Amino acid sequence: MGTKTNYERLYLEEVLSLGGKRPTLLLHSCCGPCSTFPLTYLAPHFDVTVYYSNSNIFPQEEYTRRLGEQKRFLEYLKRDYGYEVGLVVPAYDHDAYMEELRPLAGEREGGNRCRLCYEKRMKEGYDYAEAHGFDYFATLMTVSRQKDSQVLNEIGEKLSKEHAKTRYLFSDFKKDNGNQIGNRLAVSYGLYRQDYCGCEYSSHGGHESLDGPAKTE
């Protein structure tokens, strides 16, 4: 087995290189609870806009509920931390999104189907970031203990070679207790925490976005 890259170290090195500047960052978000720690971690250093691209989520009522929780946390972030974070919400189209994924319905959770799903959402976000002049693009999915940060950052590095103007921000937000801090923040704000990742296939596997059993309000 090869040596794993320390993406948290790469993130810290990038932040140190900023020299006090606050570049723009488009952050792909999968849900409000997962965004809690990454946003409090990133906002002191970047001018962040959240890109909520999650047509994988099924059913639409679930998508809408998670979007509502994302909006709620952004309000809390402004009220309690003083950081105003923008929000971009592309159109929801589950049927079109799942066309490429349905042939992989039998794949295990975290396997090829999930990797393709991560890449589709990240590419959409990265394309938007470059088209709209953002300095950086990142995904907060590395905070989840159910998602492999090595895989996510490999996807980000691959996509960075297709985007000449916007840099990819490496991360591993679950490091240094980031996942646990995020859990505590989600609980303290009473955020709805789902018990599956998003699509109809993950709903059978109990693929949580955060560690521990999900809580519903």
Side-chain angles (χ1 to χ4, degrees):
M1 178 179 289
T3 303
K4 291 186 176 182
T5 302
N6 186 333
Y7 289 109
E8 169 68 359
R9 179 178 58 79
L10 293 181
Y11 166 81
L12 293 172
E13 290 175 355
E14 192 70 25
V15 169
L16 284 173
S17 76
L18 299 179
K21 296 179 181 178
R22 282 177 53 84
T24 55
L25 167 67
L26 188 73
L27 179 67
H28 167 254
S29 174
C30 53
C31 66
C34 280
S35 75
T36 52
F37 172 72
L39 283 172
T40 60
Y41 196 52
L42 290 164
H45 309 291
F46 298 90
D47 180 5
V48 184
T49 297
V50 164
Y51 192 76
Y52 187 84
S53 173
N54 298 294
S55 285
N56 60 305
I57 298 173
F58 181 85
Q60 187 168 1
E61 291 78 10
E62 177 72 15
Y63 165 89
T64 302
R65 184 176 189 183
R66 295 188 196 186
L67 175 58
E69 296 301 274
Q70 179 68 82
K71 292 176 178 178
R72 273 214 304 147
F73 182 68
L74 293 184
E75 292 172 359
Y76 296 141
L77 189 71
K78 180 179 179 180
R79 183 192 71 187
D80 297 340
Y81 293 84
Y83 296 118
E84 188 157 2
V85 171
L87 177 65
V88 176
V89 184
Y92 173 84
D93 191 342
H94 182 73
D95 289 340
Y97 182 88
M98 294 300 291
E99 284 181 2
E100 289 182 83
L101 300 179
R102 294 199 191 286
L104 303 175
E107 288 278 335
R108 64 175 179 82
E109 280 300 300
N112 292 330
R113 185 188 70 246
C114 293
R115 182 180 180 119
L116 177 58
C117 184
Y118 306 153
E119 185 164 349
K120 281 170 64 68
R121 286 182 285 160
M122 289 173 66
K123 183 180 187 307
E124 182 186 330
Y126 215 143
D127 288 348
Y128 184 94
E130 179 135 308
H132 291 81
F134 282 84
D135 298 312
Y136 287 88
F137 170 77
T139 179
L140 58 75
M141 290 191 290
T142 63
V143 76
S144 172
R145 291 177 60 183
Q146 283 75 36
K147 294 180 174 65
D148 190 331
S149 296
Q150 298 288 317
V151 168
L152 290 164
N153 283 294
E154 286 168 7
I155 293 170
E157 185 172 18
K158 172 189 170 185
L159 292 174
S160 72
K161 296 173 183 176
E162 304 170 9
H163 298 82
K165 298 177 182 178
T166 299
R167 292 172 61 87
Y168 177 71
L169 183 66
F170 292 102
S171 70
D172 194 351
F173 294 122
K174 66 174 66 66
K175 292 292 187 182
D176 296 326
N177 298 315
N179 183 269
Q180 292 91 327
I181 295 169
N183 269 312
R184 290 196 292 269
L185 284 168
V187 170
S188 68
Y189 285 114
L191 298 179
Y192 159 67
R193 295 187 291 157
Q194 63 273 6
D195 62 359
Y196 66 104
C197 182
C199 76
E200 50 268 49
Y201 308 122
S202 66
S203 67
H204 300 304
H207 191 191
E208 300 114 11
S209 64
L210 295 171
D211 64 341
K215 301 285 191 296
T216 56
E217 305 304 319

